[in-house]
């Protein structure tokens, strides 16, 4: 996209991130809700550290923009977005643990187990995961009961053993036994793809979209997920730690195969372009209203960190 | 309770545990559900190891018996019970981790991180936690949408930062700074009390009980939770590892204060009797129909492991 358009897009992305962060801060306040006893200070601090640490809030943005395009109420969409971000952030907190990726830095800041301790990081992740389902199911998410239930159920499937967590398990295994190309695609569709797919599907569900529109937005989310992962794998090869704010070359260093390592940088860049094109085609029925989502796909494919 | 009654009670507890285990086995099958991609073998095996390892299934029993007393459909109650057991079992898997309690044995078997590895144990816990919300929200839990949503929301609050996970965080802190008696009571109400309270409340919610009955069963669950914890603390002082199937004297060994260490064994036994009496009084309006729940309170207070 051209420079001016990119600036407008980035401003909108930042503004939405700001709104989501404000909501997340209030959801992560120390005041116990009905049915809670107390919210322990240290655990709350660790949860906030894991969530309120910058980040582009790409998944919330996708929820909110999809919901807006299809006519869901803004406030409800924002809560769905916040719930999804809690899931994403918990997965990072657990992923960074010594027994997992053993990362000390995340977005240039100490990870939760470094800033607190390992046990607190495990519990903070557990609490964020649980909070996501609290947020979606609470009456404050003003959507019909059937809609909220679908959002809960689809999030559980996207995030659980058959989605994100399962993908992390396959990723651990991939360090011992190299998967073939189909295995890599499956692993990535679960580990990073499932939440991005959910983001777009959830926006459509929140808007009460019909099955055809839901299927289209779900597919859009899948394409975005593929583009995201490919861009990530490219960055691992072509970027450096200072730009990424985390260690670069990690996958190659661990001998972890990616689509990029199998097919090369040039082929990966070409495939990225195709994915952006495909994403754009999926949005055609929505005309210029979908311009922001179209740009999002482009942004994801061309991001530098 | 007398010997014959105890045998009848134990037979019913065992039979219900058997039903719950059958359901859990099917919920932990390797076949992906709609919206899932694959269920990785190793992760599924770790999840099964964490769940299908014996255990009295006390929380499921409380859900099912409360639901039965108040007229909820059996099949739905069983799914609510299974969801709650997934939460309980995930908490044990994470609690046993080296960074937490560092336990190698659970019910005489190697813990998940010993039988598999630490990363897999973290992920298996995450996946079980997530699965609980899948089970509750799925249409197969045949209850009105509003009811399922309440069950989801109350479980999130019972299990999350203001409930069980928060209690574990307070428990970690208690090893560094000894809490006063009020602090101990609060910690225990969260760490072990919240799920037992939920068990009884959820049975009532599933049955569509009115607010008064719901409040009564919630209070019954609280009393059961207090009795459970007190019996547990007593066992820690009076039992040995062979009987418990896990390390005994752990709390005392770590200098962890409990109600028993503050007030002594005799006072604790007296308080246990009072709690069983109070639980029994709460059930009076239900007459002889509530005999099983009455016995459950007695069983919990007098259990030997």
């Amino acid at each position: 996209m051209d420079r001016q358009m990119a600036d407008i897009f980035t401003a909108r992305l930042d503004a939405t991130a700001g709104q989501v962060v404000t909501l997340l801060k209030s959801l992560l306040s120390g005041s116990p809700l009905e049915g809670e006893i107390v919210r322990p200070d240290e655990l709350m601090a660790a949860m906030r550290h894991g969530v309120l640490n910058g980040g582009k809030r790409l998944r919330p943005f996708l929820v909110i923009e999809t919901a807006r395009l299809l006519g869901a109420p803004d406030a409800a969409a924002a809560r769905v977005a916040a719930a999804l971000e809690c899931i994403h952030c918990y997965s990072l907190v657990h992923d960074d643990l010594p027994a997992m990726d053993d990362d000390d830095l995340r977005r240039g800041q100490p990870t939760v187990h470094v800033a607190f301790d390992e046990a607190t990081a495990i519990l903070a992740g557990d609490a964020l995961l649980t909070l996501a389902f609290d947020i979606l199911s609470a009456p404050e998410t003003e959507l019909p009961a059937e809609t909220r239930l679908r959002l809960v159920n689809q999030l559980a499937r996207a995030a659980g053993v058959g989605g994100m967590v399962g993908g992390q398990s396959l990723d651990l295994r991939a360090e011992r036994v190299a998967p073939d190309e189909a295995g890599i695609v499956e692993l990535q569709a679960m580990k990073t793809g499932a939440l991005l797919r959910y983001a777009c599907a959830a926006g459509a569900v929140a808007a009460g979209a019909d099955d055809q529109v839901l299927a289209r937005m779900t597919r859009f989310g899948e394409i975005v997920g593929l583009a995201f992962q490919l861009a990530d794998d490219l960055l691992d090869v072509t970027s450096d730690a200072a730009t990424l704010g985390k260690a670069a070359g990690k996958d190659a260093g661990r001998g972890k195969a990616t689509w990029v390592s199998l097919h090369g940088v040039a082929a990966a860049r070409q495939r990225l372009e195709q994915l952006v094109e495909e994403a754009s085609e999926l949005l055609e029925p929505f005309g210029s209203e979908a311009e922001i989502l179209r740009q999002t796909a482009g942004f994801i494919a061309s991001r530098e960190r």
Side-chain angles (χ1 to χ4, degrees), chain A:
Chain A
M1 60 182 115
D2 70 30
R3 189 70 204 203
Q4 202 186 349
M5 221 188 229
D7 287 348
I8 294 171
F9 174 79
T10 309
R12 181 142 169 176
L13 183 62
D14 288 351
T16 305
Q19 288 162 12
V20 170
V21 166
T22 301
L23 176 56
L24 284 165
K25 276 184 184 160
S26 86
L27 292 164
L28 292 168
S29 95
S31 312
L33 304 175
E34 191 191 331
E36 293 183 332
I37 299 173
V38 293
R39 292 185 153 197
D41 292 340
E42 189 176 20
L43 186 55
M44 287 306 310
M47 290 166 75
R48 282 186 212 107
H49 188 93
V51 173
L52 306 173
N53 61 352
K56 292 178 292 295
R57 314 298 177 181
L58 206 52
R59 290 155 196 80
F61 187 72
L62 285 167
V63 174
I64 287 169
E65 291 298 340
T66 308
R68 188 167 294 161
L69 173 68
L70 301 173
D74 278 354
R79 286 180 61 94
V80 177
L84 178 55
E85 191 66 3
C86 287
I87 294 282
H88 174 58
C89 293
Y90 113 73
S91 79
L92 301 180
V93 173
H94 280 188
D95 222 24
D96 288 337
L97 285 167
M100 305 273 294
D101 280 358
D102 194 13
D103 275 318
D104 291 348
L105 283 180
R106 163 79 57 189
R107 293 175 188 140
Q109 297 291 316
T111 48
V112 177
H113 69 92
V114 171
F116 295 81
D117 57 53
E118 221 178 307
T120 302
I122 293 167
L123 294 176
D126 293 345
L128 286 171
L129 166 48
T130 311
L131 182 64
F133 292 104
D134 181 348
I135 296 168
L136 283 184
S137 60
E140 287 78 7
T141 302
E142 292 187 30
L143 293 169
E146 284 288 357
T147 304
R148 276 183 281 155
L149 263 185
R150 275 182 86 182
L151 290 168
V152 166
N153 195 253
Q154 291 184 8
L155 182 60
R157 302 231 168 134
V161 63
M164 184 189 70
V165 174
Q168 284 175 300
S169 171
L170 292 176
D171 203 31
L172 289 174
R173 197 180 147 73
E175 287 175 22
R176 304 191 302 265
V177 184
D180 58 13
E181 184 167 346
I184 294 169
V185 170
E186 190 170 78
L187 182 170
Q188 295 184 337
M190 293 170 76
K191 189 178 152 104
T192 53
L195 288 198
L196 289 160
R197 179 172 76 168
Y198 176 81
C200 300
V205 169
D210 63 32
D211 286 353
Q212 211 185 340
V213 169
L214 175 58
R216 184 174 285 271
M217 294 317 299
T218 303
R219 181 65 190 149
F220 175 77
E222 275 172 16
I223 302 288
V224 163
L226 290 169
F228 182 92
Q229 185 63 53
L230 203 51
D232 216 49
D233 292 342
L234 269 169
L235 284 171
D236 191 71
V237 175
T238 60
S239 191
D240 58 66
T243 311
L244 281 177
K246 62 181 181 184
K250 271 169 41 178
D251 297 341
R254 293 178 188 190
K256 209 188 263 184
T258 68
W259 201 93
V260 179
S261 70
L262 290 178
H263 297 276
V265 168
R269 290 211 165 114
Q270 201 179 352
R271 186 162 146 75
L272 253 182
E273 274 179 40
Q274 285 165 359
L275 289 168
V276 173
E277 185 60 34
E278 198 177 334
S280 189
E281 281 164 18
L282 282 163
L283 297 174
E284 249 167 38
F286 307 110
S288 64
E289 297 278 297
E291 186 53 32
I292 287 286
L293 283 177
R294 204 171 282 118
Q295 288 178 22
T296 310
F299 169 80
I300 283 170
S302 61
R303 77 209 154 90
E304 277 157 20
R305 62 193 178 94

